[in-house]
Amino acid sequence: MTLVSYNPSWWPSIYSYRISSYFVVAGSAGVMYDWVLTFGQEVELVWRQHWSLMTVLYLSVRYLGISYAVINMLIWVPTISMTDTDCRPSCQSNFDNCHSCFILNFAENWMGVVVYVMLGVILIARLHAMYQQSRKVMIFLIVIFLAVDIFDGVVVAISVRNSSWEELILSGTSQCTVGSDDLFLHSITWILTTVWEALAFFLTVWIAIKHFRELRQHSAGGIIRDCFAVLVETHIVYFASVVVVSCFDLGYLFSTMSADTFALGTQIYFGLLDIFQLVRMFILGPRLILGVREYQAKFAMAGPDTGTDMTSVAFQERVHVSTSSTV
């Protein structure tokens, strides 16, 4: 339902909500700025190339990220009211879809789940390629990822079902509030997610080191090492963002911030966490693909000057290395 009040007792809530909105706008602007910054590369390396699973995943993560950023601002910017004048005055049920707060939060939660699945598929595809398309490795990764992702989806469904949604109009500002008591389930979710990301990172580093040692004796080893270096570098940056987000989540669990959610320090803490989450999913996520596509394009431009008959190092659904001219 919508609560309208001009009581000064709400001022701490108004102030804290405004502080949070600054971080939300900053993070959302960062996502959009990164899209503008890389749009030229996107056109050349994605839109104009042969379409594949990675193409679809890249575009989906990129443009869902922009939609997510817009929804995030609609929810958190206090000058944007979510009041739906067509709704009944008693519109307060969790499942009353006429409530704008419910619709936006529902979309935001499930968009996060969908993007997480896509990022998982990207990581599995990269590892499948690096392990020379090993079927055992692929099955192992899929089983682990499905277990984590199914649990994550169940937690989101429970959270949405048990949450209360309400819009507050306080002294002329709008707040879309959510009430939920599923901290324990969310804690298990981020722990499992961190374990999955750590496993993927370990497998990436391990196979890269193994290949670096094996390729020292091959004439084309330098180029292949460069390809693996790109895969490892992009994954290191991505995993670093995962570590930062996990540290923030862990810090909150062992702190007393939940006792004073209106405190300036608490709002700054959650604001930074929100920014890092946006960076991880919607900036570094797409770059897992874009970075390899960029390397592929540079290698193709080098042509015969590379001093080897290797003709392709591509990351479509896999990294394909060929020593013949028939590719």
Side-chain angles (χ1 to χ4, degrees), residues 1 68 82 107 128 130 148 157 160 187 190 214 222 249 280 282 288 302 310:
M1 65 180 178
Y68 187 98
M82 292 294 102
H128 183 229
M130 296 177 76
V148 174
V160 170
S187 300
W190 75 257
E214 293 177 352
D249 286 327
R280 177 177 72 90
F282 303 123
L288 290 173
M310 181 185 303

Side-chain angles (χ1 to χ4, degrees), residues 124-125 128 131 133-143:
I124 291 174
H128 183 229
Y131 279 84
Q133 303 179 39
S134 169
R135 190 173 182 179
K136 292 182 179 179
V137 171
M138 186 174 186
I139 293 174
F140 171 73
L141 292 172
I142 290 176
V143 170

